[in-house]
Amino acid sequence: MSRGLPAAGRLVALALLALLAGCGRPAADEETRHRFMAMGTLVDVTVFGTPPAAAEQAAREVETLFHALHAAWNPWGDGELGRLNEALASGQPAAPGEDLRALLAEAAALSEASGGLFDPTLGPLVLLWGFASEENRPAAPPSAEDIAARLSRRVALETLLRPDGRVAGPPGVQLDLGAFLKGVAVDRAIELLRAHGIEHAIVNAGGDLRAIGRRGDRPWRVGIRAARDPAGVAAAIEIAADEAVFTSGDYERYFEYQGHRYHHVLDPRSGYPSEGIASVTVLNRDAGRADAGATALMVAGPEDWPAAAAALGLEAVMVILADGRAELTPAMQPRLRFTDEAQARGARVRPLP
Ligand code: AMP
Ligand code: MG
């Protein structure tokens, strides 16, 4: 499978983000930065206004947290979600721990609010398409029969969650929380930093991030990647005191077959990759909601994304359509500065219903 951003492109993009974040920096010694790879992406923890030794210690704990969450919640590994999937595959009920139960309940609520567009039970379909692992490189789309067979195994997540805390369903159900987990991890990382007394920080996981506080006398400022230009920044956003910015895009993981791009966000109604939208960027206080929401709005498509945003309680959204035009909610418009003048002029404001 080809990745939308080659390693070099990613680094350039991250350097650009760093540059944007670096505007107006007063004292170098007040900023501490810790970088690591986790969940298949480069994670950057930036802390401002905390003595470097304490900031570094907290950032290292964030790294440990990311690795622990990845191990526990990897659907295809031997952690807790992997074991739950193994039980579900054979139709056995399972009793996940409190943490995973709470996570599933949260995912179920978001899935319901999205009308099933964000669907954590798409595991078998994600596997079939070959988007479950970085190593696997699909060469062609699966057959329509196989897609239909996987779709018939879908069930609404909320129906699997029993009042006694157990999770059970028909054999073959497989949960994949990949559209939501990075957001949850970022939220938990921010909680951890706060528990260390840190008030000003960004946790940036490959361009998806949450920021708290300020960068000295200025708000944090971040760049949003351009969908069709891996090294480019489409727009800049100034973050209010505590906000997350998450983007879902058709350039993150995809392959091309006979001139068509097949990407990793799947439409549960058709079983095929979603169409019409290149990327969705959501600004929200809750990174988990922003992450699941960005994925759901990709699936909702060019006509229906405002209705899906309203149903999910998302106010500030930017959509880049497949043809490159931008659409914004009224709440997002004043927050953005486009890099490209033409895109800024062509942007259309879509009120939420
Ligand atoms: P994201 O990058 O947050 O949009 O998440 C995409 C990942 O979520 C994919 O790689 C799949 O593992 C999974 N996924 C794909 N389509 C959906 C969907 N409609 N609902 C929930 N998860 C999905
Ligand atoms: Mg997502």
Side-chain angles (χ1 to χ4, degrees), residues 280-299:
V280 175
T281 300
V282 172
L283 195 60
N284 195 268
R285 278 184 77 95
D286 179 333
R289 178 173 294 266
D291 191 356
T295 306
L297 268 51
M298 280 282 292
V299 179

Side-chain angles (χ1 to χ4, degrees), residues 3 36 80 134 141 190 236 257 262 279 285 288 304 320:
R3 299 279 308 187
F36 56 92
E80 202 183 3
E134 301 267 342
I190 291 288
Y257 178 72
Y262 294 91
S279 73
R285 278 184 77 95
D304 296 334
I320 305 294

